[in-house]
Amino acid sequence: MKFIVVTGGVMSGLGKGITAASIGRILVDMGYSVVPIKIDPYINIDAGTMNPFQHGEVYVLKDGTEVDLDLGHYERFIEVELTGDHNITTGKIYSRVIEKERAGEYLGQTVQIIPHITDEIKRWIRDVAENKNADICLVEVGGTVGDIESMPFLEAIRQMHNEEREEDFLLVHVTLVPLDSGGEQKTKPTQHSVKELRSLGLHPDVIVGRCKRELEESTKKKISLFCDVPAEAVISAKDADDIYEVPLIFKKEGLDRYLARKLRLGRRDSNGKWESFVDMMRSAREEVTIAVVGKYIDVRDSYISIREALKIAGIHNSARVLVIWIDSEDFEDFTEIEIEADGILVPGGFGQRGVEGKMMAIKYARENDIPFLGICLGFQLSVIEFSRNVLGYKDANSTEFGETEHPVIDLLPEQKEIDRLGGTMRLGDIEITIKKGTVAHFLYGKDKISERHRHRFEVNPEYIEELESAGLVFSGYSDGGRRMEILELPSHRFFLATQFHPEFKAKPFSPSPPFMGFVRSAIQFRREVNGES
Ligand code: GLN
């Protein structure tokens, strides 16, 4: 087993996750199997309770674990399906150690960070790596070197470095190379952060320098000299037009060859799969505009998987998707709205804020025959909007937002019981049956699918018949027909919503069917508006 560890210095937000994912991708294209692990040095057990305003999107794995969005990058770049084990947090490590202590497993010793916490960290990493029987285990340490939280993890990494053979362990450090007012590339922050790393007993093998421009030869030389890495191991990571370009930038910098040599992987040529995907992306012939009407709009990262799913669907339709982000609360001061876009998407969410505005967007899409995709809360709000404006139940609502005469979205009885006991969500991959002859069946091309969930509320079974007789079709269901999973409006050019989150399964080489249908319909709509077809 080979280990590649990715750390970050200077500041957060340098794209460590994209760097790790891109390294994984170049290795995959060389024919190696890669198993990624993300370390999040926070005390939370997982990201389930974290606020998207603060932390970006909560990504959901197939086993239902709620994790940091970097795991989404791994799944998309490396083409793997991960489980909760691939995300280590301080909370998970400490609770395991405390559990063992209570069970008397430490035989009366004083339980300490070194060796007990660090042993547990090393064991976890090695167990996951060995279970997957991969060639290379890629470990990304979240946070910035020097943070108090990441100390035990970096100490565990230092110990692993000593324990593993030279050719089995490699450390990649990502830093920032800022430009001064005269445009000169400054290496001091990199020098300082490498010094910080060294004070912890770690020595980088590769330095990835993030910069607005490509690193100049002289900058690379300087970093090489001051940080004691060969110049060829200083990798220039200039701001890319698109994150999917990063693996190719790394290859151009020779990182693939350097990694292979240092890790003694033997020479293997890349199969060029990623290049062909990026070529497809670059050769998009037309543009299509999608309005995403949500509430965490100012924090772009909060809808990252939706953005990627749209982009991927665009690439497979030779189109570039331009996303306009609309804060649904902005609509609430108006009675009439207009959205200039070729398609409207209402994403998932929690809580009442902004829901009335989202329903205005749904009504607008429904009444004006504009392609529409609703996801999770977007699905539930489509049901509420339809109940209010088509069935005429003006007070129809979800019990998530208060008491109502017409609770068209509600908790199922067993969920009520669970919620009383402290609340938990329906999470992860669940099998769904799709009705033949529907748009959903056409898009997926099969009767049974599995998609990822993250919700508590459901379409109230008492209203299904009435909704369907008014023209709404529930084309997908689960749990023996008790839970509605997909809805569509046959009278509309494309109006589809899903209780699940299809965005979490969209991959560069396997786009998500609902997103494909939606983007295709938006392209068609744009052409019609422009009189092109
Ligand atoms: N708040 C809704 C529920 O809990 C929808 C959740 C979501 O959009 N992820 O069911």
PDB file of all heavy atoms in Angstrom, residues 60 346-351 358 375-380 398 400-401 409-411 425-426 453-458 498-501 503-504, ligand 1:
ATOM      1  N   VAL A  60     -24.016  13.763   0.810  1.00  0.00           N
ATOM      2  CA  VAL A  60     -24.541  12.531   1.398  1.00  0.00           C
ATOM      3  C   VAL A  60     -23.978  11.314   0.671  1.00  0.00           C
ATOM      4  O   VAL A  60     -24.046  11.233  -0.555  1.00  0.00           O
ATOM      5  CB  VAL A  60     -26.084  12.501   1.351  1.00  0.00           C
ATOM      6  CG1 VAL A  60     -26.621  11.248   2.020  1.00  0.00           C
ATOM      7  CG2 VAL A  60     -26.662  13.740   2.010  1.00  0.00           C
ATOM      8  N   VAL A 346     -35.329  24.450  -8.367  1.00  0.00           N
ATOM      9  CA  VAL A 346     -35.501  24.753  -6.945  1.00  0.00           C
ATOM     10  C   VAL A 346     -34.876  23.609  -6.140  1.00  0.00           C
ATOM     11  O   VAL A 346     -35.334  22.471  -6.193  1.00  0.00           O
ATOM     12  CB  VAL A 346     -36.988  24.966  -6.565  1.00  0.00           C
ATOM     13  CG1 VAL A 346     -37.132  25.172  -5.058  1.00  0.00           C
ATOM     14  CG2 VAL A 346     -37.556  26.175  -7.302  1.00  0.00           C
ATOM     15  N   PRO A 347     -33.782  23.910  -5.428  1.00  0.00           N
ATOM     16  CA  PRO A 347     -33.038  22.868  -4.715  1.00  0.00           C
ATOM     17  C   PRO A 347     -33.630  22.538  -3.344  1.00  0.00           C
ATOM     18  O   PRO A 347     -34.665  23.090  -2.961  1.00  0.00           O
ATOM     19  CB  PRO A 347     -31.654  23.501  -4.566  1.00  0.00           C
ATOM     20  CG  PRO A 347     -31.905  24.971  -4.490  1.00  0.00           C
ATOM     21  CD  PRO A 347     -33.148  25.234  -5.304  1.00  0.00           C
ATOM     22  N   GLY A 348     -32.954  21.676  -2.627  1.00  0.00           N
ATOM     23  CA  GLY A 348     -33.385  21.270  -1.296  1.00  0.00           C
ATOM     24  C   GLY A 348     -33.124  22.346  -0.257  1.00  0.00           C
ATOM     25  O   GLY A 348     -32.469  23.344  -0.533  1.00  0.00           O
ATOM     26  N   GLY A 349     -33.680  22.145   0.918  1.00  0.00           N
ATOM     27  CA  GLY A 349     -33.447  23.113   1.978  1.00  0.00           C
ATOM     28  C   GLY A 349     -34.239  22.761   3.216  1.00  0.00           C
ATOM     29  O   GLY A 349     -35.061  21.835   3.200  1.00  0.00           O
ATOM     30  N   PHE A 350     -33.968  23.486   4.263  1.00  0.00           N
ATOM     31  CA  PHE A 350     -34.645  23.241   5.535  1.00  0.00           C
ATOM     32  C   PHE A 350     -35.157  24.555   6.085  1.00  0.00           C
ATOM     33  O   PHE A 350     -34.534  25.595   5.904  1.00  0.00           O
ATOM     34  CB  PHE A 350     -33.678  22.608   6.540  1.00  0.00           C
ATOM     35  CG  PHE A 350     -33.268  21.220   6.130  1.00  0.00           C
ATOM     36  CD1 PHE A 350     -32.223  21.029   5.236  1.00  0.00           C
ATOM     37  CD2 PHE A 350     -33.951  20.116   6.592  1.00  0.00           C
ATOM     38  CE1 PHE A 350     -31.863  19.762   4.827  1.00  0.00           C
ATOM     39  CE2 PHE A 350     -33.605  18.836   6.186  1.00  0.00           C
ATOM     40  CZ  PHE A 350     -32.551  18.661   5.305  1.00  0.00           C
ATOM     41  N   GLY A 351     -36.317  24.497   6.748  1.00  0.00           N
ATOM     42  CA  GLY A 351     -36.838  25.684   7.402  1.00  0.00           C
ATOM     43  C   GLY A 351     -37.644  26.555   6.464  1.00  0.00           C
ATOM     44  O   GLY A 351     -37.576  26.429   5.243  1.00  0.00           O
ATOM     45  N   LYS A 358     -39.761  30.535  -3.288  1.00  0.00           N
ATOM     46  CA  LYS A 358     -39.490  29.351  -4.106  1.00  0.00           C
ATOM     47  C   LYS A 358     -40.779  28.895  -4.799  1.00  0.00           C
ATOM     48  O   LYS A 358     -40.770  28.484  -5.956  1.00  0.00           O
ATOM     49  CB  LYS A 358     -38.935  28.202  -3.255  1.00  0.00           C
ATOM     50  CG  LYS A 358     -37.498  28.446  -2.789  1.00  0.00           C
ATOM     51  CD  LYS A 358     -36.985  27.278  -1.970  1.00  0.00           C
ATOM     52  CE  LYS A 358     -35.622  27.609  -1.386  1.00  0.00           C
ATOM     53  NZ  LYS A 358     -35.091  26.534  -0.558  1.00  0.00           N
ATOM     54  N   ILE A 375     -35.886  19.684  -6.391  1.00  0.00           N
ATOM     55  CA  ILE A 375     -35.150  18.664  -5.654  1.00  0.00           C
ATOM     56  C   ILE A 375     -35.488  18.733  -4.166  1.00  0.00           C
ATOM     57  O   ILE A 375     -35.370  19.798  -3.552  1.00  0.00           O
ATOM     58  CB  ILE A 375     -33.630  18.836  -5.859  1.00  0.00           C
ATOM     59  CG1 ILE A 375     -33.279  18.588  -7.336  1.00  0.00           C
ATOM     60  CG2 ILE A 375     -32.847  17.899  -4.953  1.00  0.00           C
ATOM     61  CD1 ILE A 375     -31.841  18.872  -7.683  1.00  0.00           C
ATOM     62  N   CYS A 376     -35.916  17.625  -3.624  1.00  0.00           N
ATOM     63  CA  CYS A 376     -36.200  17.466  -2.193  1.00  0.00           C
ATOM     64  C   CYS A 376     -37.189  18.526  -1.698  1.00  0.00           C
ATOM     65  O   CYS A 376     -38.371  18.401  -1.972  1.00  0.00           O
ATOM     66  CB  CYS A 376     -34.923  17.437  -1.385  1.00  0.00           C
ATOM     67  SG  CYS A 376     -35.145  16.484   0.122  1.00  0.00           S
ATOM     68  N   LEU A 377     -36.742  19.581  -1.021  1.00  0.00           N
ATOM     69  CA  LEU A 377     -37.704  20.610  -0.630  1.00  0.00           C
ATOM     70  C   LEU A 377     -38.375  21.175  -1.890  1.00  0.00           C
ATOM     71  O   LEU A 377     -39.563  21.502  -1.871  1.00  0.00           O
ATOM     72  CB  LEU A 377     -37.002  21.730   0.160  1.00  0.00           C
ATOM     73  CG  LEU A 377     -37.918  22.849   0.668  1.00  0.00           C
ATOM     74  CD1 LEU A 377     -38.959  22.316   1.632  1.00  0.00           C
ATOM     75  CD2 LEU A 377     -37.112  23.956   1.330  1.00  0.00           C
ATOM     76  N   GLY A 378     -37.634  21.244  -2.977  1.00  0.00           N
ATOM     77  CA  GLY A 378     -38.194  21.707  -4.253  1.00  0.00           C
ATOM     78  C   GLY A 378     -39.325  20.806  -4.733  1.00  0.00           C
ATOM     79  O   GLY A 378     -40.290  21.268  -5.347  1.00  0.00           O
ATOM     80  N   PHE A 379     -39.229  19.515  -4.445  1.00  0.00           N
ATOM     81  CA  PHE A 379     -40.277  18.540  -4.760  1.00  0.00           C
ATOM     82  C   PHE A 379     -41.493  18.799  -3.866  1.00  0.00           C
ATOM     83  O   PHE A 379     -42.633  18.894  -4.332  1.00  0.00           O
ATOM     84  CB  PHE A 379     -39.701  17.136  -4.533  1.00  0.00           C
ATOM     85  CG  PHE A 379     -40.683  15.997  -4.474  1.00  0.00           C
ATOM     86  CD1 PHE A 379     -41.042  15.299  -5.621  1.00  0.00           C
ATOM     87  CD2 PHE A 379     -41.215  15.573  -3.247  1.00  0.00           C
ATOM     88  CE1 PHE A 379     -41.925  14.218  -5.557  1.00  0.00           C
ATOM     89  CE2 PHE A 379     -42.087  14.504  -3.175  1.00  0.00           C
ATOM     90  CZ  PHE A 379     -42.447  13.820  -4.334  1.00  0.00           C
ATOM     91  N   GLN A 380     -41.225  18.949  -2.575  1.00  0.00           N
ATOM     92  CA  GLN A 380     -42.330  19.152  -1.632  1.00  0.00           C
ATOM     93  C   GLN A 380     -43.075  20.453  -1.930  1.00  0.00           C
ATOM     94  O   GLN A 380     -44.307  20.504  -1.878  1.00  0.00           O
ATOM     95  CB  GLN A 380     -41.780  19.157  -0.202  1.00  0.00           C
ATOM     96  CG  GLN A 380     -41.121  17.823   0.165  1.00  0.00           C
ATOM     97  CD  GLN A 380     -40.396  17.864   1.510  1.00  0.00           C
ATOM     98  OE1 GLN A 380     -40.321  18.906   2.166  1.00  0.00           O
ATOM     99  NE2 GLN A 380     -39.855  16.730   1.929  1.00  0.00           N
ATOM    100  N   SER A 398     -46.642  22.409   4.375  1.00  0.00           N
ATOM    101  CA  SER A 398     -45.937  21.298   5.000  1.00  0.00           C
ATOM    102  C   SER A 398     -45.988  21.527   6.498  1.00  0.00           C
ATOM    103  O   SER A 398     -45.876  22.676   6.952  1.00  0.00           O
ATOM    104  CB  SER A 398     -44.482  21.295   4.538  1.00  0.00           C
ATOM    105  OG  SER A 398     -43.705  20.484   5.395  1.00  0.00           O
ATOM    106  N   GLU A 400     -43.772  20.990   8.355  1.00  0.00           N
ATOM    107  CA  GLU A 400     -42.462  21.525   8.750  1.00  0.00           C
ATOM    108  C   GLU A 400     -42.583  23.027   9.033  1.00  0.00           C
ATOM    109  O   GLU A 400     -41.826  23.585   9.805  1.00  0.00           O
ATOM    110  CB  GLU A 400     -41.433  21.285   7.617  1.00  0.00           C
ATOM    111  CG  GLU A 400     -40.031  21.802   7.955  1.00  0.00           C
ATOM    112  CD  GLU A 400     -38.976  21.528   6.862  1.00  0.00           C
ATOM    113  OE1 GLU A 400     -39.323  20.965   5.808  1.00  0.00           O
ATOM    114  OE2 GLU A 400     -37.811  21.879   7.075  1.00  0.00           O
ATOM    115  N   PHE A 401     -43.577  23.670   8.378  1.00  0.00           N
ATOM    116  CA  PHE A 401     -43.696  25.116   8.504  1.00  0.00           C
ATOM    117  C   PHE A 401     -44.886  25.548   9.354  1.00  0.00           C
ATOM    118  O   PHE A 401     -45.285  26.696   9.324  1.00  0.00           O
ATOM    119  CB  PHE A 401     -43.798  25.754   7.099  1.00  0.00           C
ATOM    120  CG  PHE A 401     -42.748  25.246   6.154  1.00  0.00           C
ATOM    121  CD1 PHE A 401     -43.077  24.796   4.885  1.00  0.00           C
ATOM    122  CD2 PHE A 401     -41.416  25.197   6.557  1.00  0.00           C
ATOM    123  CE1 PHE A 401     -42.101  24.311   4.018  1.00  0.00           C
ATOM    124  CE2 PHE A 401     -40.430  24.719   5.699  1.00  0.00           C
ATOM    125  CZ  PHE A 401     -40.772  24.264   4.426  1.00  0.00           C
ATOM    126  N   ILE A 409     -47.861  17.990   2.823  1.00  0.00           N
ATOM    127  CA  ILE A 409     -46.548  17.420   3.138  1.00  0.00           C
ATOM    128  C   ILE A 409     -46.506  17.246   4.654  1.00  0.00           C
ATOM    129  O   ILE A 409     -46.769  18.193   5.397  1.00  0.00           O
ATOM    130  CB  ILE A 409     -45.389  18.346   2.678  1.00  0.00           C
ATOM    131  CG1 ILE A 409     -45.456  18.640   1.174  1.00  0.00           C
ATOM    132  CG2 ILE A 409     -44.032  17.744   3.072  1.00  0.00           C
ATOM    133  CD1 ILE A 409     -45.190  17.462   0.251  1.00  0.00           C
ATOM    134  N   ASP A 410     -46.194  16.026   5.072  1.00  0.00           N
ATOM    135  CA  ASP A 410     -46.288  15.743   6.508  1.00  0.00           C
ATOM    136  C   ASP A 410     -45.294  14.641   6.880  1.00  0.00           C
ATOM    137  O   ASP A 410     -44.708  14.003   5.992  1.00  0.00           O
ATOM    138  CB  ASP A 410     -47.725  15.281   6.814  1.00  0.00           C
ATOM    139  CG  ASP A 410     -48.053  15.346   8.300  1.00  0.00           C
ATOM    140  OD1 ASP A 410     -47.210  15.839   9.075  1.00  0.00           O
ATOM    141  OD2 ASP A 410     -49.158  14.878   8.667  1.00  0.00           O
ATOM    142  N   LEU A 411     -45.164  14.389   8.163  1.00  0.00           N
ATOM    143  CA  LEU A 411     -44.339  13.261   8.592  1.00  0.00           C
ATOM    144  C   LEU A 411     -45.212  12.010   8.559  1.00  0.00           C
ATOM    145  O   LEU A 411     -46.396  12.073   8.874  1.00  0.00           O
ATOM    146  CB  LEU A 411     -43.845  13.480  10.024  1.00  0.00           C
ATOM    147  CG  LEU A 411     -42.884  14.650  10.259  1.00  0.00           C
ATOM    148  CD1 LEU A 411     -42.655  14.832  11.763  1.00  0.00           C
ATOM    149  CD2 LEU A 411     -41.562  14.425   9.557  1.00  0.00           C
ATOM    150  N   MET A 425     -32.998  11.722  10.131  1.00  0.00           N
ATOM    151  CA  MET A 425     -33.452  11.849   8.749  1.00  0.00           C
ATOM    152  C   MET A 425     -33.408  10.524   8.010  1.00  0.00           C
ATOM    153  O   MET A 425     -32.712   9.605   8.398  1.00  0.00           O
ATOM    154  CB  MET A 425     -32.599  12.880   8.046  1.00  0.00           C
ATOM    155  CG  MET A 425     -33.089  14.269   8.345  1.00  0.00           C
ATOM    156  SD  MET A 425     -32.421  15.450   7.201  1.00  0.00           S
ATOM    157  CE  MET A 425     -30.959  15.874   8.080  1.00  0.00           C
ATOM    158  N   ARG A 426     -34.128  10.501   6.920  1.00  0.00           N
ATOM    159  CA  ARG A 426     -34.078   9.367   6.008  1.00  0.00           C
ATOM    160  C   ARG A 426     -32.902   9.669   5.080  1.00  0.00           C
ATOM    161  O   ARG A 426     -32.934  10.631   4.315  1.00  0.00           O
ATOM    162  CB  ARG A 426     -35.397   9.336   5.247  1.00  0.00           C
ATOM    163  CG  ARG A 426     -35.593   8.145   4.345  1.00  0.00           C
ATOM    164  CD  ARG A 426     -37.060   8.119   3.917  1.00  0.00           C
ATOM    165  NE  ARG A 426     -37.343   6.993   3.062  1.00  0.00           N
ATOM    166  CZ  ARG A 426     -37.675   7.110   1.786  1.00  0.00           C
ATOM    167  NH1 ARG A 426     -37.716   8.296   1.201  1.00  0.00           N
ATOM    168  NH2 ARG A 426     -37.942   6.034   1.074  1.00  0.00           N
ATOM    169  N   HIS A 453     -30.884  10.078  -0.420  1.00  0.00           N
ATOM    170  CA  HIS A 453     -31.919  10.857   0.264  1.00  0.00           C
ATOM    171  C   HIS A 453     -31.349  11.638   1.438  1.00  0.00           C
ATOM    172  O   HIS A 453     -30.331  11.276   2.016  1.00  0.00           O
ATOM    173  CB  HIS A 453     -33.011   9.924   0.791  1.00  0.00           C
ATOM    174  CG  HIS A 453     -33.804   9.262  -0.295  1.00  0.00           C
ATOM    175  ND1 HIS A 453     -33.265   8.320  -1.123  1.00  0.00           N
ATOM    176  CD2 HIS A 453     -35.100   9.422  -0.681  1.00  0.00           C
ATOM    177  CE1 HIS A 453     -34.198   7.916  -1.992  1.00  0.00           C
ATOM    178  NE2 HIS A 453     -35.315   8.567  -1.730  1.00  0.00           N
ATOM    179  N   ARG A 454     -32.076  12.696   1.781  1.00  0.00           N
ATOM    180  CA  ARG A 454     -31.770  13.430   3.013  1.00  0.00           C
ATOM    181  C   ARG A 454     -32.980  14.289   3.353  1.00  0.00           C
ATOM    182  O   ARG A 454     -33.072  15.463   2.986  1.00  0.00           O
ATOM    183  CB  ARG A 454     -30.533  14.322   2.813  1.00  0.00           C
ATOM    184  CG  ARG A 454     -30.108  15.049   4.075  1.00  0.00           C
ATOM    185  CD  ARG A 454     -28.801  15.792   3.884  1.00  0.00           C
ATOM    186  NE  ARG A 454     -28.277  16.294   5.138  1.00  0.00           N
ATOM    187  CZ  ARG A 454     -28.214  17.593   5.463  1.00  0.00           C
ATOM    188  NH1 ARG A 454     -28.607  18.516   4.628  1.00  0.00           N
ATOM    189  NH2 ARG A 454     -27.721  17.955   6.623  1.00  0.00           N
ATOM    190  N   HIS A 455     -33.948  13.687   4.010  1.00  0.00           N
ATOM    191  CA  HIS A 455     -35.174  14.429   4.332  1.00  0.00           C
ATOM    192  C   HIS A 455     -35.948  13.726   5.448  1.00  0.00           C
ATOM    193  O   HIS A 455     -35.630  12.602   5.835  1.00  0.00           O
ATOM    194  CB  HIS A 455     -36.064  14.530   3.093  1.00  0.00           C
ATOM    195  CG  HIS A 455     -36.677  13.216   2.674  1.00  0.00           C
ATOM    196  ND1 HIS A 455     -38.024  12.975   2.714  1.00  0.00           N
ATOM    197  CD2 HIS A 455     -36.111  12.055   2.250  1.00  0.00           C
ATOM    198  CE1 HIS A 455     -38.267  11.736   2.313  1.00  0.00           C
ATOM    199  NE2 HIS A 455     -37.124  11.158   2.024  1.00  0.00           N
ATOM    200  N   ARG A 456     -36.953  14.438   5.940  1.00  0.00           N
ATOM    201  CA  ARG A 456     -37.836  13.854   6.963  1.00  0.00           C
ATOM    202  C   ARG A 456     -39.283  13.817   6.502  1.00  0.00           C
ATOM    203  O   ARG A 456     -40.009  12.901   6.800  1.00  0.00           O
ATOM    204  CB  ARG A 456     -37.779  14.705   8.235  1.00  0.00           C
ATOM    205  CG  ARG A 456     -36.702  14.300   9.193  1.00  0.00           C
ATOM    206  CD  ARG A 456     -37.009  14.785  10.592  1.00  0.00           C
ATOM    207  NE  ARG A 456     -36.984  16.231  10.663  1.00  0.00           N
ATOM    208  CZ  ARG A 456     -35.880  16.942  10.862  1.00  0.00           C
ATOM    209  NH1 ARG A 456     -34.724  16.337  11.029  1.00  0.00           N
ATOM    210  NH2 ARG A 456     -35.911  18.245  10.904  1.00  0.00           N
ATOM    211  N   PHE A 457     -39.681  14.827   5.761  1.00  0.00           N
ATOM    212  CA  PHE A 457     -41.101  14.960   5.405  1.00  0.00           C
ATOM    213  C   PHE A 457     -41.434  14.228   4.106  1.00  0.00           C
ATOM    214  O   PHE A 457     -40.553  13.936   3.307  1.00  0.00           O
ATOM    215  CB  PHE A 457     -41.463  16.445   5.318  1.00  0.00           C
ATOM    216  CG  PHE A 457     -41.426  17.110   6.662  1.00  0.00           C
ATOM    217  CD1 PHE A 457     -40.218  17.543   7.209  1.00  0.00           C
ATOM    218  CD2 PHE A 457     -42.580  17.244   7.412  1.00  0.00           C
ATOM    219  CE1 PHE A 457     -40.173  18.123   8.469  1.00  0.00           C
ATOM    220  CE2 PHE A 457     -42.542  17.827   8.673  1.00  0.00           C
ATOM    221  CZ  PHE A 457     -41.337  18.260   9.211  1.00  0.00           C
ATOM    222  N   GLU A 458     -42.723  13.926   3.924  1.00  0.00           N
ATOM    223  CA  GLU A 458     -43.189  13.138   2.779  1.00  0.00           C
ATOM    224  C   GLU A 458     -44.482  13.732   2.232  1.00  0.00           C
ATOM    225  O   GLU A 458     -45.191  14.442   2.940  1.00  0.00           O
ATOM    226  CB  GLU A 458     -43.558  11.700   3.233  1.00  0.00           C
ATOM    227  CG  GLU A 458     -42.492  10.954   3.962  1.00  0.00           C
ATOM    228  CD  GLU A 458     -41.448  10.354   3.046  1.00  0.00           C
ATOM    229  OE1 GLU A 458     -41.673  10.327   1.816  1.00  0.00           O
ATOM    230  OE2 GLU A 458     -40.402   9.924   3.570  1.00  0.00           O
ATOM    231  N   THR A 498     -37.977  15.583  -7.654  1.00  0.00           N
ATOM    232  CA  THR A 498     -37.624  14.339  -6.972  1.00  0.00           C
ATOM    233  C   THR A 498     -37.484  14.575  -5.474  1.00  0.00           C
ATOM    234  O   THR A 498     -36.948  15.597  -5.044  1.00  0.00           O
ATOM    235  CB  THR A 498     -36.271  13.789  -7.502  1.00  0.00           C
ATOM    236  OG1 THR A 498     -35.237  14.736  -7.217  1.00  0.00           O
ATOM    237  CG2 THR A 498     -36.335  13.512  -8.990  1.00  0.00           C
ATOM    238  N   GLN A 499     -37.980  13.617  -4.693  1.00  0.00           N
ATOM    239  CA  GLN A 499     -37.835  13.691  -3.246  1.00  0.00           C
ATOM    240  C   GLN A 499     -36.363  13.430  -2.870  1.00  0.00           C
ATOM    241  O   GLN A 499     -35.870  13.881  -1.854  1.00  0.00           O
ATOM    242  CB  GLN A 499     -38.768  12.670  -2.577  1.00  0.00           C
ATOM    243  CG  GLN A 499     -38.706  12.652  -1.062  1.00  0.00           C
ATOM    244  CD  GLN A 499     -39.046  14.004  -0.465  1.00  0.00           C
ATOM    245  OE1 GLN A 499     -40.207  14.385  -0.351  1.00  0.00           O
ATOM    246  NE2 GLN A 499     -38.032  14.765  -0.064  1.00  0.00           N
ATOM    247  N   PHE A 500     -35.668  12.705  -3.713  1.00  0.00           N
ATOM    248  CA  PHE A 500     -34.247  12.392  -3.459  1.00  0.00           C
ATOM    249  C   PHE A 500     -33.346  13.453  -4.095  1.00  0.00           C
ATOM    250  O   PHE A 500     -33.820  14.389  -4.736  1.00  0.00           O
ATOM    251  CB  PHE A 500     -33.926  10.995  -4.003  1.00  0.00           C
ATOM    252  CG  PHE A 500     -34.334  10.785  -5.432  1.00  0.00           C
ATOM    253  CD1 PHE A 500     -33.534  11.206  -6.482  1.00  0.00           C
ATOM    254  CD2 PHE A 500     -35.554  10.183  -5.742  1.00  0.00           C
ATOM    255  CE1 PHE A 500     -33.909  11.027  -7.803  1.00  0.00           C
ATOM    256  CE2 PHE A 500     -35.948   9.997  -7.074  1.00  0.00           C
ATOM    257  CZ  PHE A 500     -35.126  10.420  -8.095  1.00  0.00           C
ATOM    258  N   HIS A 501     -32.064  13.255  -3.904  1.00  0.00           N
ATOM    259  CA  HIS A 501     -31.067  14.207  -4.416  1.00  0.00           C
ATOM    260  C   HIS A 501     -30.260  13.585  -5.557  1.00  0.00           C
ATOM    261  O   HIS A 501     -29.193  13.021  -5.325  1.00  0.00           O
ATOM    262  CB  HIS A 501     -30.092  14.596  -3.299  1.00  0.00           C
ATOM    263  CG  HIS A 501     -30.699  15.449  -2.245  1.00  0.00           C
ATOM    264  ND1 HIS A 501     -30.687  16.824  -2.307  1.00  0.00           N
ATOM    265  CD2 HIS A 501     -31.339  15.134  -1.103  1.00  0.00           C
ATOM    266  CE1 HIS A 501     -31.297  17.317  -1.249  1.00  0.00           C
ATOM    267  NE2 HIS A 501     -31.705  16.302  -0.488  1.00  0.00           N
ATOM    268  N   GLU A 503     -28.427  14.933  -7.619  1.00  0.00           N
ATOM    269  CA  GLU A 503     -27.139  15.611  -7.860  1.00  0.00           C
ATOM    270  C   GLU A 503     -25.959  14.866  -7.245  1.00  0.00           C
ATOM    271  O   GLU A 503     -24.831  14.989  -7.705  1.00  0.00           O
ATOM    272  CB  GLU A 503     -27.186  17.059  -7.344  1.00  0.00           C
ATOM    273  CG  GLU A 503     -27.202  17.260  -5.833  1.00  0.00           C
ATOM    274  CD  GLU A 503     -28.596  17.261  -5.218  1.00  0.00           C
ATOM    275  OE1 GLU A 503     -29.515  16.649  -5.822  1.00  0.00           O
ATOM    276  OE2 GLU A 503     -28.761  17.837  -4.124  1.00  0.00           O
ATOM    277  N   PHE A 504     -26.232  14.062  -6.181  1.00  0.00           N
ATOM    278  CA  PHE A 504     -25.114  13.385  -5.522  1.00  0.00           C
ATOM    279  C   PHE A 504     -24.595  12.192  -6.320  1.00  0.00           C
ATOM    280  O   PHE A 504     -23.585  11.601  -5.971  1.00  0.00           O
ATOM    281  CB  PHE A 504     -25.506  12.917  -4.118  1.00  0.00           C
ATOM    282  CG  PHE A 504     -25.774  14.060  -3.170  1.00  0.00           C
ATOM    283  CD1 PHE A 504     -26.809  13.986  -2.241  1.00  0.00           C
ATOM    284  CD2 PHE A 504     -24.997  15.208  -3.198  1.00  0.00           C
ATOM    285  CE1 PHE A 504     -27.065  15.037  -1.365  1.00  0.00           C
ATOM    286  CE2 PHE A 504     -25.243  16.271  -2.322  1.00  0.00           C
ATOM    287  CZ  PHE A 504     -26.285  16.178  -1.411  1.00  0.00           C
TER     288      PHE A 504
HETATM  289  N1  GLN B   1     -36.929  20.026   4.810  1.00  0.00           N
HETATM  290  C1  GLN B   1     -37.427  18.966   4.020  1.00  0.00           C
HETATM  291  C2  GLN B   1     -37.500  17.648   4.770  1.00  0.00           C
HETATM  292  O1  GLN B   1     -36.911  17.514   5.810  1.00  0.00           O
HETATM  293  C3  GLN B   1     -36.600  18.809   2.760  1.00  0.00           C
HETATM  294  C4  GLN B   1     -35.186  18.414   3.008  1.00  0.00           C
HETATM  295  C5  GLN B   1     -34.260  18.687   1.864  1.00  0.00           C
HETATM  296  O2  GLN B   1     -34.578  19.435   0.964  1.00  0.00           O
HETATM  297  N2  GLN B   1     -33.061  18.111   1.908  1.00  0.00           N
HETATM  298  O3  GLN B   1     -38.139  16.715   4.345  1.00  0.00           O
END
